[in-house]
Amino acid sequence: MTVQPQQQPHAPNGHGDLGLLSIFFPMWNEEAYLHRALDAAREVCEQLVGAGEISGFELIVVDDASTDATGRLADELAAADPRVRVVHHATNRKLGGSIKSGFEAARGDLVLYTDADLPFEMIELVRAVRVLRTYEADVVSAYRLDRTGEGPRRAVYSFGYNWLVRAMFGTRVRDINFAFKLCRRTVLDHITLSSEGSFIDAELIIRAQRSGFEIVQIGVDYFPRTRGVSTLSSFGVIRTMLREMTTLRRDLRSVVPVERA
């Protein structure tokens, strides 16, 4: 599927701001984190608007067929704040499907996606926006400075997975599955994402890098989940990632730099 905005993005004004910022959160049964995530994002976005870095913002919840109160609570927040929107999935589409839905719904000139459990302090977004502007980057991808909090099994899995992706696709990005990627609209308008599983993080970076877009990395402090259960290290998720990596290998290796004005 092709990632395209639903409507024309807001054009940055002449005062140097980067335009409209979209932040979306893929959520499945995240009622415990929903309000905290949106409150943190709203606070930082208002700071960015006040500093003249962006002209405005929108917050998007992608409710991946949650069985708890996530969808209802998100709808209530959207009814109270026009800057909040909700995308509902009728069936569970996993991480890849949720990220694709978020990109499709986003209208911004800049788009950030991250997890509802806030694995980093949202204030890091201020630094990411500054880095993107200063170094004229197309994507800012963050990596975790200290991963001891995620446990030894996930740390080993992540190390092996990152090594495998680098070996197969020549990526230069550390911690490729970390949910902190800030992208310019031009990147999203030129790539097509296929993954339905957690390989979508790597697919985005691989396609962007091979298309000739500039990727800059920043290190951030990591805060592991304290509520709910993460499924990212489950056998089923890992199996799907490896299957998609193999299936898409030829397609990803055929990506060539795009012509840009």
Side-chain angles (χ1 to χ4, degrees):
M1 67 182 289
T2 302
V3 177
Q4 294 288 353
Q6 291 184 329
Q7 62 186 47
Q8 290 297 316
H10 171 85
N13 64 33
H15 301 292
D17 73 58
L18 293 168
L20 180 71
L21 170 65
S22 300
I23 302 178
F24 73 84
F25 299 88
M27 293 193 185
W28 179 72
N29 291 353
E30 296 286 12
E31 62 180 9
Y33 284 115
L34 176 65
H35 286 88
R36 189 183 77 172
L38 267 65
D39 287 345
R42 185 185 294 109
E43 180 180 351
V44 172
C45 285
E46 288 174 347
Q47 179 178 332
L48 287 167
V49 171
E53 292 284 357
I54 59 174
S55 60
F57 64 93
E58 63 175 4
L59 308 177
I60 303 170
V61 174
V62 181
D63 171 31
D64 193 24
S66 297
T67 57
D68 66 358
T70 297
R72 175 179 60 80
L73 294 174
D75 285 338
E76 291 175 357
L77 290 173
D81 186 344
R83 298 169 300 185
V84 177
R85 294 193 292 122
V86 186
V87 176
H88 293 284
H89 287 173
T91 58
N92 185 263
R93 294 182 55 193
K94 307 301 182 183
L95 181 62
S98 297
I99 288 178
K100 287 190 286 189
S101 289
F103 279 138
E104 287 179 342
R107 301 166 178 163
D109 305 285
L110 301 179
V111 182
L112 171 78
Y113 71 89
T114 189
D115 294 335
D117 60 328
L118 298 182
F120 59 92
E121 282 191 290
M122 190 58 72
I123 194 65
E124 296 284 4
L125 177 57
V126 174
R127 181 160 65 106
V129 169
R130 185 174 68 247
V131 167
L132 184 136
R133 176 202 295 281
T134 301
Y135 296 96
E136 300 179 338
D138 299 300
V139 179
V140 175
S141 180
Y143 60 89
R144 287 163 278 196
L145 292 171
D146 182 0
R147 306 189 59 169
T148 55
E150 66 183 341
R153 186 176 71 168
R154 283 193 63 181
V156 170
Y157 285 169
S158 296
F159 175 83
Y161 178 67
N162 277 278
W163 177 88
L164 188 58
V165 171
R166 285 195 299 270
M168 291 181 66
F169 302 103
T171 59
R172 303 182 303 272
V173 174
R174 300 169 56 178
D175 206 0
I176 201 164
N177 264 30
F178 188 47
F180 184 143
K181 295 179 177 67
L182 177 67
C183 306
R184 291 187 189 266
R185 169 59 54 186
T186 50
V187 177
L188 305 179
D189 287 344
H190 283 93
I191 66 174
T192 299
L193 295 172
S194 302
S195 300
E196 286 289 318
S198 296
F199 183 66
I200 196 165
D201 276 289
E203 183 189 1
L204 172 63
I205 291 297
I206 294 165
R207 289 192 186 279
Q209 179 180 304
R210 297 180 77 89
S211 295
F213 292 105
E214 183 68 25
I215 301 172
V216 173
Q217 302 180 72
I218 60 173
V220 298
D221 290 326
Y222 170 57
F223 298 90
R225 173 183 288 267
T226 57
R227 307 173 193 172
V229 178
S230 173
T231 61
L232 293 181
S233 60
S234 69
F235 177 74
V237 169
I238 294 172
R239 181 179 57 193
T240 300
M241 288 167 62
L242 295 176
R243 184 180 67 246
E244 289 188 329
M245 181 190 303
T246 303
T247 303
L248 293 172
R249 184 178 185 181
R250 179 175 298 179
D251 179 40
L252 291 173
R253 286 185 166 184
S254 68
V255 176
V256 297
V258 301
E259 295 184 7
R260 291 183 285 166

